[in-house]
Amino acid sequence: MPTTFRQNVSQFHQTIYLMVGNVSSVSNVKYWDTTNTQITVDLSTVTIDLDICPTPVYLMDAYPAVHPQRHYPASVEFIAGYADSSHVPADIKAGIMAYAAHLYRDRDGSLPVPQGFLDLCQMNHTGISNSWGN
């Protein structure tokens, strides 16, 4: 279902790729300037191609100088997700059910997350990965 995400970026480039699929809109683009002041980019100077995944956010102006000591000097806030459950593709629904069955069988959390589920998540750009330690 539609959810608001914020993607922090470690390097501010003229193009930022949103790594979650099914993006419907961008709410804001912000960065920390060299004086450590947070600046909100005027969205009229941004182009977003919602037909591509990962979704590119193009800054039409040259990207600004950012604070050199910030680990994540820029961020994009956006909305992504399916309008409702009837719009979720069948393979994703099947993957959710398979993952729920896995969690039922693995109540103590000792088994790794099934690779097929992780592959499905990566293929559909859900933002879910195996980076949480399993």
Side-chain angles (χ1 to χ4, degrees), residues 1-51:
M1 308 321 89
T3 304
T4 299
F5 294 89
R6 185 179 72 221
Q7 180 174 315
N8 296 320
V9 291
S10 59
Q11 295 194 1
F12 200 20
H13 296 285
Q14 205 153 352
T15 303
I16 300 169
Y17 291 94
L18 304 179
M19 302 312 291
V20 174
N22 209 27
V23 174
S24 59
S25 66
V26 170
S27 307
N28 62 60
V29 177
K30 295 182 179 184
Y31 68 94
W32 295 92
D33 71 6
T34 55
T35 66
N36 208 25
T37 302
Q38 191 174 41
I39 307 295
T40 301
V41 174
D42 180 359
L43 288 181
S44 69
T45 66
V46 174
T47 301
I48 304 134
D49 193 341
L50 298 174
D51 296 326

Side-chain angles (χ1 to χ4, degrees), residues 89-99 114-128:
D91 63 337
I92 294 176
K93 288 180 181 180
I96 292 169
M97 288 189 288
Y99 185 60
Q115 189 60 47
F117 175 75
L118 295 173
D119 292 344
L120 181 66
C121 290
Q122 182 179 6
M123 184 174 61
N124 288 283
H125 302 280
T126 64
I128 296 172

